[in-house]
Amino acid sequence: MRDSKTLLKELFRKSIHLCSSVVPWFFAAYYWYTVYGLLIIVSLYYFCEIARLEGHPVPLVSLITETASRQRDECKFVLGPVTLVLGIVFAALVLPLSCAKIGIFALAFGDGLASLAGKMFGRIKIPHTGGKTLEGSLTCFIAVFISTYVVTRLPIVSAIVALTAMLIEVLPLGDWDNMIIPTATGGVYYLLAVLCF
């Protein structure tokens, strides 16, 4: 699965993941506007996807969806954008913003880069994970460790958060990891902050 077409599709798909890393700054400046804006966007996407599946594609939205969708999503509702947005919003609603930021970065960088690394360099398959690779999982750990460390400057805390993200990412959850990673990693950071500071 390393042909150029598949790789370009994965790059495009994961660039959307990576773009979600800017959302914490919108939350910091315009918290409720950002929450409502994201919920409106995901609602519009939902109706555009229904229209696409019924044979009435919405020009730009359907093109982006078809370009970013995986082979497993062909002729199905593409759930990834919904779980991505809802995971980010849920983390921001239930966690302090500083903790949600850690979780959103884990989703943007850890989950985003893990898939790319696995597709590009993955050689060692991890059993019972639906094709996940050791290289992808290690990339997730490194990306989350770096993004958490840049924010916190706490190496042990960053390593624990990164390990949490990696363990969730390696599970065969499909698009549902988008819902779990931000809240779980942000929640782990919150618990560590309460216990350690």
Side-chain angles (χ1 to χ4, degrees), residues 25-43:
W25 283 279
F26 286 100
F27 279 132
Y30 311 102
Y31 180 82
W32 286 110
Y33 289 116
T34 304
V35 169
Y36 295 137
L38 289 171
L39 292 175
I40 289 167
I41 289 168
V42 82
S43 299

Side-chain angles (χ1 to χ4, degrees), residues 44-191:
L44 291 172
Y45 170 80
Y46 174 83
F47 290 112
C48 289
E49 261 300 86
I50 296 297
R52 180 182 71 85
L53 291 173
E54 291 177 352
H56 309 291
V58 178
L60 182 60
V61 178
S62 296
L63 176 64
I64 291 170
T65 302
E66 289 173 359
T67 303
S69 64
R70 291 173 164 159
Q71 189 174 358
R72 72 181 186 207
D73 295 324
E74 285 181 14
C75 302
K76 295 180 185 174
F77 187 100
V78 179
L79 192 60
V82 175
T83 57
L84 181 77
V85 171
L86 292 182
I88 289 169
V89 169
F90 187 71
L93 289 173
V94 301
L95 295 169
L97 202 50
S98 59
C99 302
K101 181 179 184 178
I102 297 291
I104 293 166
F105 283 175
L107 177 64
F109 300 118
D111 189 43
L113 295 175
S115 181
L116 276 178
K119 298 265 187 306
M120 292 173 69
F121 311 113
R123 298 282 186 277
I124 304 168
K125 301 277 188 190
I126 302 172
H128 314 296
T129 62
K132 305 273 178 98
T133 65
L134 180 62
E135 295 84 355
S137 294
L138 290 175
T139 300
C140 177
F141 180 88
I142 292 166
V144 176
F145 177 84
I146 291 170
S147 66
T148 304
Y149 182 76
V150 165
V151 174
T152 67
R153 301 294 180 191
L154 300 168
I156 294 173
V157 167
S158 300
I160 294 169
V161 170
L163 182 62
T164 302
M166 183 187 76
L167 292 174
I168 296 167
E169 191 279 330
V170 79
L171 295 172
L173 299 171
D175 291 320
W176 294 105
D177 62 350
N178 293 340
M179 292 282 291
I180 299 167
I181 288 174
T183 305
T185 54
V188 166
Y189 174 67
Y190 175 76
L191 291 174

